[in-house]
Amino acid sequence: MDLLLILTYTAICVAIFKIFKIPLNKWSVPSAVLGGVVLIGTLIFLMNYNHPYSEVARSYFVSTPVIPTVSGQVVEVPVKTNQPLEKGDVLFRIDPTPFENKVKSIKAQLVSARADQSRARELAARNVGNRRDVDLTTARVDDLQAQLNIARFDLDNTVVRAPSKGFVTHVSLRPGMMASRLPLRPSMVFIPDEGHYIAAWMRQNSQLRLTPGDEAEVAFDGIPGQVFKGKVKQVISVIGEGQVQPSGNLLSFTGTPPPGRVPVIVEITDPDYAPYAALMPGGAYGQAALYSQHFHHVAVMRKILLRMAAWMNYIFPFH
């Protein structure tokens, strides 16, 4: 843009010098150059501060790690990669044999415990037994009933189902593998059908110009030549570089400080984006520009710049 402004200003100066026959001397030429520096510099400074731009915009999506409630050997994986799923559809099944046997074992113990409880109550009613035996057998029955409920819960969870509408990507689980309930080892990754979130990472120089509701535009690398209108939905109030978690180490400064960027959520409202929404993969890169209400007439420069960048996406080997 700066080169375009310089060339435009130069063309105007040449035309003025030719039309009005202004002589080229030590006063006219430096005055034209100085005027160009002031004019172009002022326009660029106003544009950069009031209408910020980010070369790093990305679509984000939520992923849900699928971790079974119980551990065991996988016996069936009916789900297919990227297959549309509804809530409750079966993802995979774990061998239920040990869990079924545990249910049977507790049921057998429960039958015996209830018989003991019945006899203890009968003896207590005849004043032959004591109340303590009744309490002990009752506690035993209640404990076995609780164990049976847990065993049935574990048995039901040998069938792992989809938590919501969505799909599973990269299905690498196969029958015969072990599925573990450890949270560090998910068996699958489930992608809920919630759509994508567009986040533009803005420099902090324009922090005071990042306001929800302002106009925005996004150009994706995967959609050359297209610029989509939107609006600023949210400005995230924290950034990752400043987070602190409990640890045994004191804060210290090493190396160069990271260039902290402010994440801004952009909602695309352009109806022309609808045909492309399903084609854009989660995590796609792009560029974004925000247009504040300050010096709004200067925003046309930023819009031209963004469209030039979108056109450059056609020449991907050199961009």
Side-chain angles (χ1 to χ4, degrees), residues 242-251:
Q243 66 177 336
V244 177
Q245 296 181 354
S247 68
N249 300 322
L250 296 177
L251 293 178

Side-chain angles (χ1 to χ4, degrees), residues 270-287:
D270 197 330
D272 293 337
Y273 179 67
Y276 301 100
L279 301 177
M280 292 301 297
Y285 271 107
Q287 305 166 70

Side-chain angles (χ1 to χ4, degrees), residues 72-78 92-96 158 174-177:
Q73 187 177 40
V74 178
V75 294
E76 184 184 4
V77 185
F92 61 92
R93 289 184 172 90
I94 296 174
D95 186 2
T158 57
R174 296 292 184 272
M177 294 182 176

Side-chain angles (χ1 to χ4, degrees), residues 293-310:
Q293 300 301 320
H294 305 271
F295 296 93
H296 195 65
H297 55 282
V298 186
V300 66
M301 298 169 54
R302 179 63 75 195
K303 294 183 178 181
I304 294 174
L305 263 180
L306 187 62
R307 280 153 180 78
M308 291 172 62

Side-chain angles (χ1 to χ4, degrees), residues 11-263:
I12 294 175
C13 288
V14 171
I16 292 177
F17 273 79
K18 292 292 186 181
I19 294 175
F20 295 99
K21 298 180 180 180
I22 300 176
L24 302 177
N25 52 44
K26 63 179 182 179
W27 302 108
S28 59
V29 174
S31 297
V33 172
L34 181 60
V37 171
V38 174
L39 178 61
I40 296 174
T42 301
L43 290 176
I44 291 177
F45 292 153
L46 288 175
M47 177 191 68
N48 287 337
Y49 181 72
N50 294 285
H51 310 292
Y53 161 83
S54 174
E55 76 286 1
V56 183
R58 174 179 280 184
S59 63
Y60 292 86
F61 58 93
V62 176
S63 62
T64 303
V66 179
I67 303 173
T69 306
V70 296
S71 300
Q73 187 177 40
V74 178
V75 294
E76 184 184 4
V77 185
V79 69
K80 304 298 181 183
T81 300
N82 298 331
Q83 173 188 356
L85 300 171
E86 297 293 333
K87 182 178 181 180
D89 288 348
V90 177
L91 300 181
F92 61 92
R93 289 184 172 90
I94 296 174
D95 186 2
T97 303
F99 303 96
E100 291 174 345
N101 291 334
K102 187 174 182 179
V103 170
K104 293 177 180 178
S105 173
I106 297 176
K107 280 184 176 180
Q109 297 178 55
L110 189 58
V111 170
S112 176
R114 282 175 175 167
D116 292 341
Q117 182 189 40
S118 179
R119 285 191 292 268
R121 286 177 175 174
E122 184 178 352
L123 292 175
R126 295 179 180 179
N127 294 324
V128 177
N130 55 55
R131 187 64 186 174
R132 177 176 173 78
D133 292 338
V134 176
D135 294 340
L136 290 175
T137 54
T138 301
R140 175 63 175 167
V141 169
D142 293 342
D143 179 61
L144 288 173
Q145 183 62 54
Q147 293 183 41
L148 180 60
N149 294 339
I150 296 174
R152 286 173 173 169
F153 176 81
D154 291 342
L155 178 60
D156 292 340
N157 280 279
T158 57
V159 180
V160 181
R161 303 180 182 275
S164 64
K165 185 178 180 181
F167 63 93
V168 176
T169 186
H170 303 308
V171 179
S172 56
L173 190 66
R174 296 292 184 272
M177 294 182 176
M178 291 296 295
S180 175
R181 62 180 182 179
L182 294 176
L184 300 179
R185 190 184 175 185
S187 300
M188 291 179 175
V189 177
F190 184 84
I191 310 299
D193 186 13
E194 297 180 353
H196 297 166
Y197 307 90
I198 310 300
W201 295 86
M202 295 291 174
R203 293 180 175 86
Q204 297 186 31
N205 306 59
S206 300
Q207 178 74 46
L208 299 179
R209 294 295 184 261
L210 305 179
T211 307
D214 280 349
E215 180 186 358
E217 288 184 331
V218 180
F220 292 99
D221 294 355
I223 312 177
Q226 297 289 331
V227 176
F228 303 101
K229 296 183 180 297
K231 64 179 181 179
V232 178
K233 184 177 181 181
Q234 183 182 11
V235 180
I236 306 300
S237 58
V238 294
I239 55 179
E241 288 81 0
Q243 66 177 336
V244 177
Q245 296 181 354
S247 68
N249 300 322
L250 296 177
L251 293 178
S252 62
F253 171 77
T254 57
T256 57
R261 296 288 187 100
V262 179

